[in-house]
Every structure is written in C-alpha cells, then in structure tokens.
Amino acid sequence: NDTLGTRSKANGWKEANGIFGGETLTKQYGGGVCQVSTTLYDALLESYPYIEINDRSNHTIPSTYVDKGLDATVDSNHIDFAFTNTSDYPMYIYAYYTENKMYKSRKRDLTVVIYGEALPEGTEYVPRAVLVSEESPGDDIITESSKLFIGEENILAPARNKYVVDVYVDRYLDGVKQEEIFDHTDVYAGNPLRKQVGTMPTPTPVPSPTPTPTEGP
C-alpha cells in the first residue's frame, strides 16, 4: 500500500469491479488491483525457502482467476500485502502485462517473475490448495421495499457457499515430490442470498381514448 498509494480517481486510478461489504461487487477506483498482489504472492510461493509473508489476507469472495487459498487481497489504508526476502541475496521483481488473445478488448494477462538466490539444482516449490469443506449459505434473507412494485425484486447479494481450504507448498526434486509443507488455512465465510421484494401496488393502466375516425376524401 505504501508503494501504490491510495487508489482514487485523483491519483489516476480507473474503475473496475471490487468487493464491497464483503459480499457484493461494485465499481471502484483501483478495482481489480488484487490480481497484481495475488500474482505476486503466487510467484513468491515458488521461492518458498527464501521469503517470509508478513501480511496477507484472502478475499471474502473467492477469486475467479486463481485457486481458493492462493489469493492475496489489498485495500487502501486497510488491508495490505507485505513480505520479506530472507535469502542472502537481493531479490528482483519483474512484472508485466500482455494482451489476452481471447478477450483483447477488456482483459490482460499478468506475469510476475522473481529473480534472486537460485534454488538447489532440480528443486522446485509448487503451491497447492486442498478443499477441506463446503457449506451451503443458509436461508435467503428477504426484506420488503416500498420503492419497488409488487412482483419486482432487487438482488443485494447473491448466495455464496462457505469454503475452508488448506494450502500446501510441495517440494519437488527432478519432478518427483519429496515433501508436502503445510502453509495455512483460509476460510471464505460465504453469505446467504439477500434481496428486496416490492410492496408498492402496481398502478392500474389507464386505457387510451378511442380515436375518432376521420372522414374519407
């Protein structure tokens, strides 16, 4: 957050979808910035022995572009992402975006590469998420609104299941798994469907007056 500053219109950020209130998406300045922190986080996990995560939180809503448990959210002056290089060498972060071939007009692909102390020959670390449990969101929460007509409804938040996920970082040597390292557990609380239903009576339609025929020539 100190690096990026406050995500606002005045600071040049554009609008995109972001989580609001923990259960719905709204247009926000700097929305989508979590894809940057998430991609950085996943790249760092592949440098597992040489990093320490100091501050990282999962989203309230699972991300669509990464497995549950492998996301890292940020929010101006609120939620941060921070890590420490624990190796004996400098660490460089190289990040860039490229055009998405399937969605050229609105999507970009993000790549993050970590340069630093080399892993032992043939060694690699691969993050892995394991779903522990999934629970239904429970009963719908329905409230009445006098601003909506009878039969109309307004979805305030779609229903989302609760998920509990364990995350491991597996160590491989020459392509063969050597060790499963437990890293953390994430909980996505989920939420019931919340909607408003209308109570305002539907107005009675007023018939148009029958037009008076005009005489022919």
Side-chain angles (χ1 to χ4, degrees):
N1 280 339
D2 290 342
T3 301
L4 293 180
T6 301
R7 267 77 79 189
S8 65
K9 182 178 181 180
N11 287 339
W13 291 83
K14 295 183 179 181
E15 287 185 301
N17 279 338
I19 299 174
F20 178 77
E23 58 182 17
T24 189
L25 300 177
T26 61
K27 292 292 184 182
Q28 304 172 23
Y29 289 105
V33 70
C34 297
Q35 188 168 351
V36 179
S37 54
T38 290
T39 310
L40 173 60
Y41 175 55
D42 285 14
L44 289 167
L45 287 178
E46 296 187 14
S47 310
Y48 193 78
Y50 302 140
I51 55 100
E52 178 182 344
I53 303 299
N54 308 115
D55 196 355
R56 175 260 168 194
S57 301
N58 61 288
H59 293 76
T60 53
I61 299 174
S63 301
T64 58
Y65 48 81
V66 70
D67 290 342
K68 299 175 185 67
L70 298 181
D71 55 318
T73 184
V74 292
D75 186 23
S76 297
N77 306 313
H78 181 214
I79 302 172
D80 208 353
F81 175 67
F83 74 97
T84 300
N85 170 19
T86 60
S87 75
D88 295 327
Y89 295 87
M91 182 175 285
Y92 298 89
I93 302 170
Y94 181 48
Y96 62 93
Y97 71 87
T98 52
E99 188 177 75
N100 184 292
K101 295 180 180 179
M102 292 183 63
Y103 304 94
K104 294 183 178 181
S105 63
R106 66 185 187 92
K107 287 190 177 182
R108 301 293 182 269
D109 292 329
L110 178 64
T111 301
V112 174
V113 184
I114 306 295
Y115 291 96
E117 182 175 356
L119 293 171
E121 184 70 25
T123 298
E124 60 179 332
Y125 289 82
V126 180
R128 173 173 56 91
V130 177
L131 179 63
V132 176
S133 64
E134 179 179 357
E135 299 177 17
S136 63
D139 296 335
D140 297 347
I141 298 176
I142 302 174
T143 56
E144 296 182 342
S145 172
S146 60
K147 297 181 180 180
L148 298 173
F149 291 113
I150 295 172
E152 291 183 327
E153 61 180 37
N154 179 29
I155 304 297
L156 301 175
R160 293 185 174 87
N161 288 350
K162 175 182 178 180
Y163 299 97
V164 178
V165 179
D166 283 345
V167 174
Y168 297 81
V169 180
D170 297 333
R171 180 174 64 87
Y172 287 80
L173 179 62
D174 296 327
V176 179
K177 185 188 294 186
Q178 304 293 314
E179 184 181 9
E180 296 183 354
I181 306 167
F182 173 76
D183 189 73
H184 68 273
T185 297
D186 276 346
V187 177
Y188 300 85
N191 58 269
L193 171 71
R194 289 199 305 113
K195 69 177 181 179
Q196 295 174 320
V197 295
T199 59
M200 184 167 48
T202 304
T204 302
V206 179
S208 301
T210 304
T212 302
T214 57
E215 296 183 359

